[in-house]
Amino acid sequence: MSSDSRLAIGVLDGDGIGPEIVPIAVDVAVAAGAREDIEFDWVTLPLGRDAIAEYGTPTPQSALEGLDELDVWILGPHDSAGYPEEFRGMLTPGAVIRKRFGLYANIRPCRAYRGVAATAPDIDVVIARENSEGLYADRNMAVGSGEFMPTPDVALAVGVVTREASRRIAREAFRLARQRSRHVTIVHKANVLRLTTGLFRDACREVAVGFPDVDVDEQHVDAMAALLVRRPADFDVLVTENLFGDILSDLAGELAGSLGMAGSVNCSSTKAMAQASHGAAPDIAGRGIADPVGILASTAMMLRWWGDQRSDDALTRCAARIDNAIDVTLAAGIRTADLGGSATTTAFGAAVVEAIDRGTERADGS
Ligand code: ATP
């Protein structure tokens, strides 16, 4: 099926390096869309520190209502730790959005790119991270936060694991594995957190029964961290709860070359949000040196999700064009400072657009 001629995508720049990298993702998607005769409508929405200045909140109602109308959007990183004191106790903008739209699956692929020095050049994994519960106090309660401080010297946190949410992310993981090497590793810590991560493990095992064509094994999260370093090529899809997934995906991203290159998408069955695995990187913000690969890879994932959703091959090809153009650009030795290169963020983005315009990339990856 071919694409509708116009498709709307939300854009929320966010904080720190967000306003430097998100516009690059838009430019690159425009270029890839043009090659497929797709013209996107870009719907810019306020978020983060700028929104505090203008609307008195980092997550304005107008932004949320704008997202209500959209299937997909690109979310820049937010630096909620750097907000004025009165906003620091609130749900972070990303958490507000994930909760409102029930974005329960955080899919984080990590692979090394051709020609880029990586600690683990043969790593090629996808982490399917449960995104709505666990120890993440900002999203595991219907009302309020799952962290408490009965006295200044005592802090408690509630960890939430439900069978249904665990099964839901497991189904995503097994479906993903069917498009890859058909191997899922269930990552838990059920030897210690017997009830919570034990329930997570059991729910994943139940789902595994419906996927007899996919190999399944299990690892404790601490062993998993070691094995990702020792023999990364042995793993394909890792399914895990929220906090473990957050930590393992940063590790895997760095093993693949740089955290700045790790893409990620947050999705439900009806909406998807491109959001790089990294944060706002306030230490390098404003210097024009941020690596945009993570947000570009995230944007490609979002387009691929959308293409699947709509059975729209043109969107899927668009995603492939972006992935392949990143590959071609990095292989040509154009890199930002995190990879030891000297390209600025905009120069790298321009090189990716040029690769797409030149057609050195191909939608089929050839
Ligand atoms: P969060 O909790 O919001 O994910 P974080 O504490 O994990 O944030 P980051 O903001 O991701 O921290 O930054 C971690 C390190 O990685 C910093 O040194 C930062 O400069 C670097 N970094 C993150 N993203 C990029 C990027 N896109 N390009 C280059 N360096 C990056």
Side-chain angles (χ1 to χ4, degrees), residues 17 21 77-80 108 246 250 254 258-261 276-284 289-295 336-338:
I17 59 173
I21 58 173
H78 48 76
D79 180 22
S80 31
R108 294 183 156 184
D246 201 8
D250 271 22
E254 202 57 38
S258 160
L259 184 51
M261 295 199 299
S277 293
H278 61 75
D283 52 334
I284 58 165
I289 58 167
D291 188 342
V293 169
I295 198 77
T336 43
D338 55 320

Side-chain angles (χ1 to χ4, degrees), residues 152-288:
D153 302 312
V154 177
L156 307 170
V158 171
V160 178
V161 175
T162 65
R163 191 179 301 277
E164 185 40 43
S166 305
R167 290 180 63 111
R168 196 169 56 175
I169 190 66
R171 282 192 293 272
E172 293 291 334
F174 279 91
R175 279 197 289 259
L176 263 171
R178 275 192 172 153
Q179 298 159 20
R180 297 173 44 92
S181 304
R182 294 178 183 258
H183 175 197
V184 169
T185 304
I186 303 167
V187 183
H188 58 81
K189 188 68 185 169
N191 54 335
V192 176
L193 297 167
R194 298 168 66 90
L195 298 184
T196 48
T197 74
L199 174 57
F200 181 85
R201 175 203 58 196
D202 293 348
C204 291
R205 285 177 178 171
E206 288 158 19
V207 169
V209 173
F211 292 81
D213 52 323
V214 176
D215 289 338
V216 191
D217 57 13
E218 297 177 11
Q219 293 294 342
H220 294 147
V221 63
D222 42 353
M224 188 69 247
L227 293 174
L228 265 183
V229 176
R230 190 186 303 159
R231 43 182 179 88
D234 288 358
F235 299 97
D236 179 25
V237 177
L238 314 183
V239 61
T240 191
E241 66 85 54
N242 208 338
L243 179 58
F244 297 165
D246 201 8
I247 297 168
L248 288 178
S249 55
D250 271 22
L251 171 65
E254 202 57 38
L255 285 171
S258 160
L259 184 51
M261 295 199 299
S264 144
V265 75
N266 294 265
C267 51
S268 68
S269 54
T270 55
K271 305 230 180 211
M273 169 169 89
Q275 182 184 22
S277 293
H278 61 75
D283 52 334
I284 58 165
R287 293 170 51 196

